[in-house]
């Protein structure tokens, strides 16, 4: 979204679904865990207005984690203004929460796994609070328009990986752990397996359906709209910028449609 | 008739306007480079865009959550807290290390280990020791300002004229008397140099310190500019850090000239 606005980028595909790995965590003895399903629409969300209002939450603002937190608060009839937010990077959030600072902490993978290992409980994530937050692939508009087939070839190779992930699933955990280690992130095979399970991916056909706007607003446009409204309400986007993004001008499936035609 | 005539040195007009021309040329070139697309405006904001945001931030808390003067005030509190603490600890420590062998023997090894560690590396430990409030930020900034205070004070004492020291000993002065009445005044020019350098170091560490649970401050504003992909906010934050630091530096310079008037360097 910011890429589209500031860098003149297209949103060309979905990488994976991050909805379950952006979560609000609390300590196991937190009073927030005493209430579950306060909002009947979100039966798996913990907390109530009384147990959450006025609490201190450690979070990285202007992030998918912030979105997870705001969805959780919205589910309980609250807003960001009803809590105290301490803005920190995820690693600092873990350190501070472990020290006893804050009543809840907002994390995403892999720091979220650190939190779970420490015994912290998920009060809510994007999925249980009724949202959807994907990682997306973006492309420079000028380059993409000049080189549509190159973009399609890139996506073709990308979907080969997606197809392998869907076919092999958690059997790829050892390879995945090895890749992450090469990239500088140490994960055990168990954690790698969990990471694969918690990050659904979507095939080309599935994504073509998600991007299909022939009968009205596409699914991807709807997801992006929620995010645009979220950031506009926070004041992080000017109203004019929000209006522009709500048209969905930057979301395109033209490169996805080219994938079957390129070698 | 006077014994001498005072000579008035007039600066040529060209030299007077040269700095103005230089600054104006810099800003005009910057504006042209961005407006013509030589550097994309997504990577560098034009001066006019930054100026627009500057005026907007006087009255608009969005998108970073505070007004410009609120950011500046928060940063000044944090920076001055760390700065004065650095002076209070670093200068006496450096002076003592420069004269007393025991002080040097005790403090120097630890100082030499701590000195190369960048203040930002202390953030995880700072959270454990001080939490995420103002004390933690002051600690990060203090670490940045401590090093130049110790080094300059130490060198200032070491540079005391040895002839004067010998003369003082000849007249029966004790170590403490020599330190207090000879070494410290002698080290003052270096100490005031430390004031300027430490200030620069403290301001530099402002951005690092405000990574730690900040919701206001000039460093926080720079971080928000990065997260929101708004280079104009990043540049404005940098400009305000530079401007505020320069203003305080001028004040320190004036104080130094007053206090050190008459001391030959």
């Amino acid at each position: 979204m910011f890429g589209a606005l500031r860098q003149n980028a297209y949103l060309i595909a979905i990488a994976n679904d991050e909805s379950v790995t952006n979560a609000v965590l609390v300590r196991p003895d937190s009073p927030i865990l005493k209430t579950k399903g306060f909002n009947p629409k979100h039966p798996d969300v913990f907390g109530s207005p009384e147990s959450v209002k006025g609490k201190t939450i450690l979070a990285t603002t202007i992030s998918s984690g912030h979105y997870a937190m705001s969805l959780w608060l919205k589910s309980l009839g609250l807003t960001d203004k009803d809590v105290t937010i301490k803005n920190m990077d995820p690693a600092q959030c873990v350190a501070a929460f472990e020290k006893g600072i804050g009543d809840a902490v907002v994390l995403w993978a892999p720091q979220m796994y650190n939190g779970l290992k420490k015994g912290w409980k998920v009060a809510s994530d994007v999925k249980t609070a009724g949202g959807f937050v994907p990682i997306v692939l973006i492309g420079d508009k000028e380059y993409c328009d000049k080189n549509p087939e190159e973009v399609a070839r890139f996506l073709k190779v990308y979907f080969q990986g997606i197809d392998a992930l869907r076919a092999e699933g958690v059997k790829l955990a050892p390879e995945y752990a090895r890749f992450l280690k090469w990239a500088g992130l140490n994960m055990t095979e168990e954690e790698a397996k969990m990471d694969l399970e918690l990050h659904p991916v979507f095939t080309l056909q599935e994504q073509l359906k998600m991007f299909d706007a022939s009968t009205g607003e596409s699914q991807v446009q709807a997801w992006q709209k929620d995010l645009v409204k979220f950031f506009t309400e926070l004041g992080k986007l000017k109203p004019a910028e929000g209006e522009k993004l709500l048209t969905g001008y930057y979301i395109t499936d033209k490169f996805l449609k080219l994938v079957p035609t390129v070698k | 008739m006077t014994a001498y005539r005072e000579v008035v040195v007039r600066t040529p007009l060209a030299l007077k306007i040269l700095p103005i021309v230089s600054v104006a040329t810099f800003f005009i070139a910057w504006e042209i480079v961005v407006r013509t697309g030589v550097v994309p405006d997504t990577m560098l904001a034009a001066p006019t865009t930054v100026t627009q945001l500057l005026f907007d931030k006087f009255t608009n808390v969005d998108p970073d959550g505070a007004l410009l003067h609120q950011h500046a005030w928060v940063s000044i509190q944090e920076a001055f807290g760390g700065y004065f603490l650095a002076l209070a600890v670093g200068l006496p420590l450096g002076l003592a290390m420069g004269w007393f062998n025991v002080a040097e023997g005790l403090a120097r090894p630890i100082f030499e280990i701590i000195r190369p560690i960048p203040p930002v590396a202390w953030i995880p430990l700072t959270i454990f020791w001080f939490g995420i409030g103002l004390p933690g930020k002051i600690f990060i900034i203090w670490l940045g300002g401590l090093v130049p205070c110790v080094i300059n004070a130490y060198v200032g004492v070491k540079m005391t004229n040895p002839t004067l020291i010998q003369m003082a000993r000849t007249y029966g002065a004790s170590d403490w008397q020599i330190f207090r009445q000879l070494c410290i005044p002698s080290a003052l020019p270096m100490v005031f140099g430390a004031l300027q350098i430490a200030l620069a170091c403290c301001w530099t560490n402002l951005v690092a310190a405000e990574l730690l649970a900040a919701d206001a401050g000039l460093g926080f504003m720079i971080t928000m500019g990065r997260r929101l992909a708004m280079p104009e906010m990043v540049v404005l934050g940098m400009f305000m850090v530079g401007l505020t630091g320069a203003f305080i530096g001028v004040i320190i310079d004036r104080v130094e000239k007053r206090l050190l008037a008459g001391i030959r360097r």
Side-chain angles (χ1 to χ4, degrees), chain A residues 27 62 74 116 122 134 165 193 211 249:
Chain A
R27 297 184 188 89
I62 315 175
K74 191 176 172 186
L116 293 173
V122 174
L165 277 170
K193 191 176 157 192
F211 277 82
Y249 69 96

Side-chain angles (χ1 to χ4, degrees), chain B residues 20-33 46-48 51 239:
Chain B
I20 301 168
V21 168
S22 168
V23 170
T25 306
F26 170 74
F27 280 106
I28 291 168
W30 175 3
E31 183 82 22
I32 291 171
V33 154
T48 45
T51 309
F239 172 71

Side-chain angles (χ1 to χ4, degrees), chain B:
Chain B
M1 198 165 144
T2 54
Y4 63 90
R5 208 170 56 171
E6 191 175 315
V7 177
V8 175
V9 178
R10 293 186 198 282
T11 309
L13 182 65
L15 285 181
K16 275 186 189 169
I17 65 171
L18 193 58
I20 301 168
V21 168
S22 168
V23 170
T25 306
F26 170 74
F27 280 106
I28 291 168
W30 175 3
E31 183 82 22
I32 291 171
V33 154
V34 176
R35 293 287 173 207
T36 56
V38 172
V39 177
D41 61 3
T42 50
M43 292 176 70
L44 177 66
T48 45
T49 312
V50 176
T51 309
Q52 240 174 321
L53 181 65
L54 169 72
F55 287 111
D56 185 51
K57 287 304 299 172
F58 284 129
T59 53
N60 186 5
V61 296
D62 291 332
D64 47 291
L67 299 174
L68 191 62
H69 65 274
Q70 290 170 331
H71 284 307
W73 178 235
V74 165
S75 290
I76 285 170
Q77 288 177 84
E78 292 163 356
F80 270 91
Y83 177 61
F84 285 121
L85 203 57
L87 299 184
V89 173
L91 293 178
L93 180 63
L95 291 169
M97 281 169 64
W99 182 246
F100 298 105
N101 292 333
V102 170
E104 185 177 6
L106 283 172
R108 190 160 180 174
I110 298 168
F111 177 74
E112 290 296 338
I113 290 169
I114 290 173
R115 183 158 71 110
I117 303 173
V120 70
W122 291 88
I123 287 180
L125 282 176
T126 305
I127 293 172
F128 280 107
W129 292 339
F130 301 104
I132 58 174
L134 188 60
K137 296 178 190 57
I138 287 177
F139 176 71
I140 300 288
I141 291 169
W142 171 74
L143 281 170
L146 181 72
V147 170
C149 287
V150 171
I151 292 175
N152 269 46
Y154 175 84
V155 170
V157 169
K158 288 294 187 193
M159 282 171 63
T160 306
N161 190 334
T163 306
L164 294 177
I165 295 174
Q166 291 301 330
M167 185 196 73
R169 288 203 197 285
T170 304
Y171 280 101
S174 67
D175 263 357
W176 176 249
Q177 282 174 317
I178 294 172
F179 175 68
R180 196 166 54 85
Q181 292 175 29
L182 196 54
C183 295
I184 291 178
S186 173
L188 277 182
M190 288 295 286
V191 164
F192 270 93
L195 263 58
Q196 295 279 17
I197 299 170
L199 178 66
C201 291
C202 287
W203 275 112
T204 305
N205 283 322
L206 200 57
V207 177
E210 288 178 0
L211 290 174
L212 183 59
D215 43 29
L218 296 173
F220 169 79
M221 198 166 86
I222 293 171
T223 304
M224 282 296 113
R226 180 179 59 80
R227 281 209 200 139
L228 291 164
M230 287 179 69
E232 60 269 32
M233 187 172 287
V234 174
V235 172
L236 179 60
M238 289 164 63
F239 172 71
M240 289 304 299
V241 169
L243 185 70
T244 319
F247 178 68
I248 297 167
V250 164
I251 296 174
I252 292 174
D253 193 51
R254 296 261 164 104
V255 169
E256 179 191 358
K257 282 192 167 89
R258 266 271 160 96
L259 285 179
L260 298 187
I263 294 180
R264 274 191 0 204
R265 306 193 198 184

